[in-house]
């Protein structure tokens, strides 16, 4: 939530830029995460392209399908 608030502040002062947040593969696979982040970005009237998610670890090939589905 603080990251989205910071993005909103930056946009308000004319400095729209993307910010990356770190997440483990386990966190990134949390059901509904993508939808929740998208909703929060919409409520803040920000384009979702401004919020990036960086994985903090390597994931196994078998888990990559699960991760892709969770973030779709």
């Amino acid at each position: 939530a603080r990251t989205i608030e910071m993005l909103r502040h930056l946009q308000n002062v004319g400095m729209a830029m993307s910010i990356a947040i770190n997440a483990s593969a386990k966190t990134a696979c949390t059901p509904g995460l993508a939808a929740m982040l998208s909703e929060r970005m919409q409520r803040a009237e920000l384009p979702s392209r401004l919020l990036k998610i960086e994985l903090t670890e390597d994931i196994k090939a078998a888990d990559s399908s699960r991760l892709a589905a969770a973030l779709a």
Side-chain angles (χ1 to χ4, degrees), residues 15-40:
M15 296 178 59
M17 65 180 73
S18 64
I19 292 180
I21 57 174
N22 293 327
S24 68
K26 181 179 178 181
T27 298
C29 287
T30 301
L33 177 66
M36 184 265 305
L37 291 173
S38 178
E39 179 200 340
R40 288 184 181 184

Side-chain angles (χ1 to χ4, degrees), residues 40-58:
R40 288 184 181 184
M41 292 293 285
Q42 287 177 2
R43 278 196 318 236
E45 299 179 356
L46 295 167
S48 57
R49 64 179 166 74
L50 295 180
L51 183 63
K52 310 290 184 190
I53 298 174
E54 293 182 356
L55 294 178
T56 58
E57 60 198 41
D58 290 333

